[in-house]
């Protein structure tokens, strides 16, 4: 009985603490919010919300850094034109 409760507790708590991707640039996170992938500017986005995105258009948002883009694991097309990005590490 105790083992079953422990397993249920572990499964329940692991689903509460979903993996997060750090998004350092608030303009980048704002773009993700406007696109429906996030809901609040808090420096992170739930990785599950972004891992299946194939096309991302974040042009003209005043973004300086796309730190966190590495977790967009299915990304095939990225438009980040008309921003203030000096370097992009893919």
């Amino acid at each position: 009985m105790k083992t079953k409760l422990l397993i249920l507790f572990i499964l329940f708590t692991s689903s509460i603490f979903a993996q997060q991707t750090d998004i350092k640039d608030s303009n980048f996170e704002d773009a993700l919010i406007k696109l429906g992938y996030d809901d609040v500017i808090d420096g992170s986005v739930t990785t599950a919300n972004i891992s299946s995105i194939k096309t991302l258009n974040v042009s003209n948002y005043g973004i300086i850094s796309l730190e966190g883009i590495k977790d967009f694991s299915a990304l095939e097309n990225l438009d980040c034109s008309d921003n203030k990005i000096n370097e992009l590490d893919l």
Side-chain angles (χ1 to χ4, degrees):
M1 178 67 171
K2 288 183 181 181
T3 303
K4 287 182 183 179
L5 287 174
L6 180 60
I7 291 171
L8 287 173
F9 176 76
I10 291 170
L11 290 173
F12 177 75
T13 56
S14 65
S15 66
I16 290 177
F17 300 107
Q19 185 176 356
Q20 298 289 307
T21 295
D22 290 335
I23 305 293
K24 302 288 184 184
D25 188 310
S26 60
N27 290 331
F28 182 27
E29 189 170 8
D30 184 51
L32 296 175
I33 290 169
K34 288 178 179 171
L35 293 168
Y37 301 119
D38 197 10
D39 56 1
V40 64
I41 294 180
D42 60 0
S44 67
V45 61
T46 303
T47 305
N49 292 355
I50 60 169
S51 62
S52 63
I53 297 172
K54 290 186 177 190
T55 299
L56 183 65
N57 182 343
V58 291
S59 61
N60 203 24
Y61 277 97
I63 297 168
I64 296 171
S65 171
L66 285 176
E67 185 174 333
I69 199 74
K70 65 178 175 43
D71 286 346
F72 288 70
S73 54
L75 193 62
E76 296 174 359
N77 299 301
L78 172 65
D79 184 352
C80 58
S81 59
D82 297 321
N83 283 295
K84 301 174 183 178
I85 301 167
N86 291 326
E87 186 176 307
L88 182 57
D89 184 12
L90 298 174

